[in-house]
Amino acid sequence: MANSLGAKENYLSNTPRKQLLWMSELLAFFVGLLSAVYINVGGNLYLAEILLLLLLPYLLYSRRSLLRFGYVKLILLFGLSWFINQIITDVYRGTSLNDILKGWALIAIFLTDFVALYMFVFPEPRLIALSLLGHAIGLMLQMAVQPNGNMLADSWKFGTGHAGILFASVIIFFLYKKNPGRVAWWAIVLAMLAVYSFYVRSRALGGVAMLSAFVVWFRFTRIGRGLAQRINNPVNLTMIILLLFTAIGGIVQGYGYMVEQGYLGDVARNLYLTQSSGEYGILLGGRREWLPATHAILDSPIIGYGSYARNTEYGQYLYELADLGYVVNNAQLEIYLATRNFIPTHSHLLQGWVWAGLAGGIFWLFILVLIIRTMIMAYRYPSALFTVTIFLGFYAIWSVLFSPLSNVGRLQWAYALVTFLYALGVHPELTRGNRKLPSYSANKL
């Protein structure tokens, strides 16, 4: 009788905590789901961002100890430096008020999204996974509920493609513990999504998905497990790097062959031949904005050109592509320069550096190093979030180097950074001393 009474009291005492945990899980999923809807306040502000902003004061009060994690402090330090440098640059350059408001908001809301989401779901993997799942579904729903201009132009490339692959990557979390041996087989799903991405002319997304599929599969092979156990050995690390670049080269060559043979259609073939015709191949041809942006940075490496960097002079460097052997349509280029009077960047790194100055570039270089560090540790110590970490890692590297930061990217980066921090915090080498992570408690939520 005494034992049964004790068990009953134990159950009753745990019930409130279970209820709070269930509510936290539901709210985490709901936050992600609200990625589907935004309101226009001069720029797109997502309902998920508004909810995170409302939660932030309480999270700062109840879970501020999480900010002691070393990498979080560095992200905030470099992020605030970027923001301050942007303010100094805009004042110095006399940036218009409209551009100032949008430029400052892009950085401030991005950092706020990250801090709020991090303190809400970290370090509980189930909360991270549920919120990621909601975010993926929300991005897919946005296409039906409130698509932006890019989504209407290409729904897979700018909306459902990334969301669908993210969904496929995170769903493995809920299957991992029951069938850990099948994680490698899940790479087939990623590979199929990659092939479809190539077919609909979404090269970057297809390449990221295919590379992720290769790493997920290889990690659980006999050779992959052996290299992971001795990854600190310079020889093994060199072998992994060579294998990775071999895989990248194979994907690029394979795609090029399919396009040149016409398997992906005439539009894709003509575009590929045009972009790969020059001296530096598809690397520069596919991201021509690197040319004017690099000139702008070399001319003013410390102080940027202001939010949205409105300066038509540097756009003229796009004409130099003809000297490098690329096909340049002068008529189209003239229209482009006439309608877009800002310095072309098309890269997180270049955009941050050109807009804000050196601190903007340093922030994204730090993030790039953080991503690489994350992927090495995730490969060595795979968790239930391994697949989604690898996909988000490769996608983030591509974004830093070859994609602009936009409103929709703020939430995507918040989710990516939280996932990376979890991968860096689940193994023994990074959970000692001052970096030890606080335990999760539903009562604090």
Side-chain angles (χ1 to χ4, degrees), residues 77-93:
L77 174 63
F78 287 119
L80 289 174
S81 298
W82 171 27
F83 184 62
I84 292 170
N85 210 166
Q86 186 68 72
I87 293 174
I88 295 172
T89 295
D90 283 324
V91 172
Y92 176 77
R93 296 290 185 182

Side-chain angles (χ1 to χ4, degrees), residues 44 46 49 106 110 113 148 150 158 308 348 351 355 364 403-413:
N44 296 340
Y46 287 81
E49 295 177 312
L106 185 65
F110 161 52
D113 288 348
N148 57 38
N150 286 334
F158 295 106
Y308 292 88
H348 285 37
Q351 179 180 314
W355 288 18
W364 288 111
S403 293
L405 177 63
S406 61
N407 294 334
V408 69
R410 297 183 306 237
L411 270 173
Q412 292 179 0
W413 269 106

